[in-house]
Amino acid sequence: MSASSSSSSFSSVKLSSGLVSQARDAASPMRRSVAGQIEYWATLGRIAEASGLTVTEAREAIALYDVRQAAPADADPLDALEADFLTAESSGRLAQAVRQTVQSNRRQVVKAA
């Protein structure tokens, strides 16, 4: 059987050098290969999609992760709090929480009256 007719369980794909670099950095402490790290991330992505994670929730989680990764270890905790606030604001989660709090407070006032 010639090499061209044999089936292979591997395929080649082109990936950005930035992604490969991020995978290399993430793979090392986990004792994974770069390919193993990318496969792991792909599996997480499939799980996230299957679980119904929305695009907004995924973007929010990624943004928060990126902010935390970019912050130096001795970063001001107020900077982290502000980053969390901005993430919640941009996703609409902050406005939703405010609406829920207002509605809850209104219900409590009506019950007390």
Side-chain angles (χ1 to χ4, degrees):
M1 184 189 292
S2 70
S4 61
S5 65
S6 67
S7 64
S8 172
S9 61
F10 297 100
S11 297
S12 295
V13 295
K14 291 184 179 183
L15 301 170
S16 71
S17 60
L19 177 63
V20 172
S21 178
Q22 289 174 344
R24 185 174 292 111
D25 292 344
S28 180
M30 302 308 292
R31 298 180 184 257
R32 294 184 184 117
S33 66
V34 172
Q37 184 65 41
I38 292 171
E39 288 175 356
Y40 177 75
W41 285 341
T43 300
L44 287 177
R46 288 194 312 268
I47 291 167
E49 284 183 344
S51 70
L53 184 69
T54 67
V55 172
T56 300
E57 291 166 338
R59 285 181 180 154
E60 180 180 324
I62 291 167
L64 184 58
Y65 176 82
D66 287 344
V67 166
R68 289 186 175 150
Q69 290 300 308
D74 59 346
D76 183 352
L78 292 177
D79 289 340
L81 180 61
E82 182 180 18
D84 290 348
F85 176 84
L86 293 173
T87 300
E89 182 182 37
S90 67
S91 71
R93 196 172 43 121
L94 179 62
Q96 180 182 3
V98 169
R99 281 191 296 275
Q100 289 172 343
T101 301
V102 168
Q103 290 171 353
S104 174
N105 288 342
R106 283 183 179 157
R107 285 191 296 269
Q108 289 175 4
V109 168
V110 169
K111 286 180 183 178

